[in-house]
Amino acid sequence: MPHFPILGIDSVEVTVEQSQRLVVVSNRVPPASAVAPQGGSGSVSVGGLVSAVKPTMERYGGIWLGWSGRSTQRRGSNEPTITDLGRLQLATLDLSEDESSMYYTGYSNRTLWPLLHSFPGRVVIRHDTYRFYRRINRRFAEAVFSILKPGDQVWIHDFHLFHVGFELRQLGWTGSIGFFLHVPFPSADIFSILPWSKETLEALLHYDLVGVHTDRYLRNLLDTLDSELGGSLDDRGIYSFEGLSSKLGVYSIGIEPSVFQRKDTEDRRGLTEEISLNADPNHRLIIGVDRLDYTKGIPHRLRAFERMLEHHNHLRGKVTYVQISSPSRTRVPEYVQEKEHVERLVGQINGRFSEANWVPIRYLYRSYPQYDLARFYHDADVGMVTPLRDGMNLVAKEFVAAQGEENPGVLVLSQFSGSASSLLDAVIVNPYDVDGTAEATYRALRMPLAERRSRSKSLMEGVLKHDASAWSESFLHDLGVYSAQVSVV
Ligand code: GDG
């Protein structure tokens, strides 16, 4: 088992047992076939959390617990089913249809997701879904508790499981527990829409360490804690309220660049062949890759592409926009509507501009293996990553990693993604400003080679420095340090 590099600070001595295990808990775990030893980069694993946590688990080993994704007729057992994959064990729970529809579709996806992404108009408040959410958080905690051994480090992921740390403390777990939020933390005004805002914040303070992606989310969280609870922050970043203490910190998530890096000598026309453009080597390609989610701003992006074709006639027949939309949350009504909206728009724009030998938008509603995604990124002249709101957005970093040095493409990036706080050499856009995004995309298509190279080089440095390993190492390091500190506050 791994030994996390834990250093003492402020004269706090921290010793770690060699036998310490990492126990990660997230809503879902990937299928056993997609993780080590035989899985890896060829697999289709759609979703940022799994993309980012998978390399951590492959590296450190340990136990990864989550919902199997199965919905059964009857309530499942609290004993997780263990699949042994050598250094890594997957522990899964089944949920009944009621449980998955109330906890997952209901409270997680229709209340917390829009709230945390600052879409108050889409937030659905229902007391019954919240009760289920709390019950399922308790079930997750009981399942984790049943496999914990003294000295384990527990790392809970994301908004589906806000209360698992609190429940673990109720069950008597005194060891360290960290929590990482993969989505934005909104402003205090937005968060206070939640009738259970105070108990959710108090639940957070049962973790030793709470991590978010950016400084802005941390400021929002602190602001919200101040206005809702009124605790205090010390100069180590430890927030205290009525006997509870938590260290709050910024840990910007990254990717495994080597999975996406492509050599310049590799054929640059893979994507062209895939979509049978074959003809002109000067044909320009724009790519978008997203889970089909209303936060990703796909309709605004389609409108911006349309506007670019309106304003720059000469591009017609010379540029193709490839949108890969991976199916996501297909049982949630808002996602069904978004799919219909996107498909209608694609149809309208293609209907308006298509010619006998050119279709402006290639819309692919499906998932591709990661290897193919990397080829597509590499082949594209412009990567459009324009969410209306996004915790980080790993696609932006994957696009950068796949470019190579000779003839790199240009990243057009939304100012409302967490990635924009570090990928400063991208072409930054406001996705709500359709005209502005259209012009920025046009500029990206025409950007001179020297500028593309210098921007791409500096973006790549950031992606290499802040990769997935740096993220998990710094979080786990701090979890070791601060779990010792907060227990003596
Ligand atoms: C959440 C936060 C945060 C997409 N299509 C395919 C595919 N993907 C992969 C991408 C990427 C991942 O899914 C999507 O990650 P994002 O970060 O862009 O977005 P979310 O899923 O919303 O992730 C986000 C993230 O958690 C991590 O903290 O960055 O802000 O919302 O890795 O490559 N993968 C494959 N085929 C596809 O068709 N194999």
Side-chain angles (χ1 to χ4, degrees):
M1 282 299 164
H3 177 195
F4 303 123
I6 295 189
L7 308 171
I9 61 165
D10 294 349
S11 321
V12 174
E13 287 292 318
V14 183
T15 52
V16 183
E17 296 294 321
Q18 283 290 336
S19 63
Q20 185 178 50
R21 300 180 309 174
L22 175 60
V23 179
V24 161
V25 189
S26 57
N27 172 54
R28 289 291 302 275
V29 294
S33 60
V35 279
Q38 76 281 34
S41 56
S43 59
V44 177
S45 71
V46 180
L49 188 150
V50 167
S51 294
V53 176
K54 192 158 79 80
T56 306
M57 295 312 289
E58 288 170 348
R59 177 161 177 215
Y60 291 114
I63 302 177
W64 189 353
L65 185 144
W67 175 28
S68 62
R70 273 190 299 274
S71 300
T72 51
Q73 287 292 328
R74 298 208 342 254
R75 183 175 181 274
S77 147
N78 272 4
E79 284 283 303
T81 306
I82 308 282
T83 309
D84 200 334
L85 300 169
R87 293 172 63 238
L88 171 65
Q89 295 182 310
L90 290 181
T92 53
L93 287 176
D94 292 341
L95 298 180
S96 72
E97 274 166 18
D98 266 7
E99 288 172 335
S100 69
S101 105
M102 302 292 261
Y103 144 80
Y104 178 67
T105 305
Y107 192 71
S108 298
N109 287 333
R110 304 191 73 195
T111 306
L112 289 177
W113 178 266
L115 180 90
L116 295 165
H117 285 85
S118 304
F119 286 88
R122 289 183 181 263
V123 173
V124 176
I125 303 285
R126 280 180 51 166
H127 290 224
D128 54 352
T129 61
Y130 179 62
R131 278 196 297 275
F132 264 90
Y133 174 87
R134 291 297 305 269
R135 205 182 299 161
I136 299 304
N137 272 229
R138 174 77 183 189
R139 277 194 65 197
F140 267 79
E142 285 168 358
V144 183
F145 192 66
S146 73
I147 54 177
L148 284 180
K149 293 186 185 153
D152 285 347
Q153 270 195 319
V154 184
W155 190 0
I156 314 286
H157 288 262
D158 228 2
F159 62 95
H160 312 87
L161 304 176
F162 273 136
H163 294 262
V164 170
F166 163 79
E167 299 291 357
L168 276 173
R169 297 293 183 219
Q170 301 302 302
L171 290 166
W173 175 251
T174 54
S176 66
I177 324 178
F179 178 85
F180 188 79
L181 184 65
H182 288 260
V183 298
F185 198 93
S187 69
D189 280 351
I190 297 275
F191 198 76
S192 66
I193 291 171
L194 194 67
W196 309 281
S197 56
K198 285 192 175 52
E199 58 197 71
T200 304
L201 293 166
E202 281 185 33
L204 273 182
L205 295 180
H206 284 79
Y207 293 102
D208 299 299
L209 176 65
V210 174
V212 293
H213 286 301
T214 69
D215 290 335
R216 179 181 291 265
Y217 307 154
L218 181 59
R219 278 201 304 277
N220 286 348
L221 173 58
L222 285 169
D223 234 34
T224 310
L225 283 164
D226 280 346
S227 65
E228 296 269 322
L229 301 182
S232 60
L233 182 72
D234 75 11
D235 52 14
R236 293 167 300 174
I238 294 179
Y239 196 91
S240 302
F241 170 71
E242 293 189 348
L244 300 170
S245 297
S246 236
K247 157 76 183 165
L248 312 176
V250 173
Y251 303 87
S252 293
I253 209 162
I255 60 162
E256 263 189 308
S258 61
V259 172
F260 293 92
Q261 275 169 299
R262 287 288 162 270
K263 297 204 174 57
D264 288 315
T265 47
E266 283 178 44
D267 180 11
R268 231 186 122 71
R269 307 311 298 177
L271 178 54
T272 320
E273 277 165 23
E274 181 80 13
I275 60 173
S276 313
L277 290 170
N278 58 48
D280 180 1
N282 292 321
H283 194 92
R284 319 306 300 279
L285 288 171
I286 298 175
I287 192 160
V289 175
D290 312 79
R291 281 185 309 97
L292 184 49
D293 193 304
Y294 57 82
T295 59
K296 303 293 180 182
I298 300 170
H300 290 74
R301 193 186 307 160
L302 289 165
R303 287 279 181 221
F305 179 70
E306 178 183 39
R307 199 66 52 86
M308 185 175 77
L309 295 180
E310 273 168 14
H311 291 175
H312 303 284
N313 257 320
H314 65 98
L315 284 178
R316 297 185 192 178
K318 303 218 162 41
V319 60
T320 299
Y321 166 28
V322 179
Q323 174 63 45
I324 296 175
S325 293
S326 341
S328 180
R329 304 177 191 173
T330 49
R331 288 175 167 208
V332 182
E334 289 76 10
Y335 289 70
V336 175
Q337 286 156 18
E338 180 75 2
K339 176 171 180 285
E340 287 166 5
H341 183 193
V342 166
E343 287 171 357
R344 242 190 343 268
L345 265 178
V346 170
Q348 279 167 14
I349 299 169
N350 278 344
R352 180 173 169 200
F353 292 101
S354 286
E355 289 161 17
N357 59 354
W358 174 63
V359 178
I361 301 169
R362 294 298 181 110
Y363 177 69
L364 302 163
Y365 179 65
R366 52 162 293 191
S367 302
Y368 281 86
Q370 219 168 35
Y371 177 82
D372 287 340
L373 280 192
R375 275 193 321 140
F376 295 167
Y377 293 141
H378 183 74
D379 287 350
D381 298 284
V382 172
M384 285 190 85
V385 180
T386 56
L388 303 177
R389 189 74 60 175
D390 212 330
M392 177 56 68
N393 195 298
L394 296 179
V395 169
K397 299 190 174 192
E398 293 165 1
F399 178 83
V400 167
Q403 291 313 304
E405 291 171 7
E406 285 299 308
N407 187 22
V410 180
L411 176 64
V412 174
L413 181 62
S414 162
Q415 68 185 79
F416 302 116
S417 68
S419 311
S421 65
S422 60
L423 299 180
L424 303 177
D425 275 301
V427 174
I428 303 290
V429 295
N430 172 354
Y432 291 94
D433 174 6
V434 169
D435 282 322
T437 305
E439 280 317 295
T441 308
Y442 182 60
R443 258 201 337 274
L445 279 172
R446 291 164 53 93
M447 190 178 283
L449 181 61
E451 185 179 350
R452 282 192 277 130
R453 282 186 179 157
S454 90
R455 283 183 186 250
S456 179
K457 183 163 177 284
S458 111
L459 289 170
M460 188 62 185
E461 282 165 8
V463 168
L464 286 171
K465 189 163 166 213
H466 302 289
D467 65 0
S469 307
W471 168 72
S472 55
E473 254 170 45
S474 63
F475 187 93
L476 290 170
H477 165 266
D478 286 1
L479 179 58
V481 172
Y482 289 106
S483 57
Q485 287 197 347
V486 292
S487 61
V488 295
V489 162

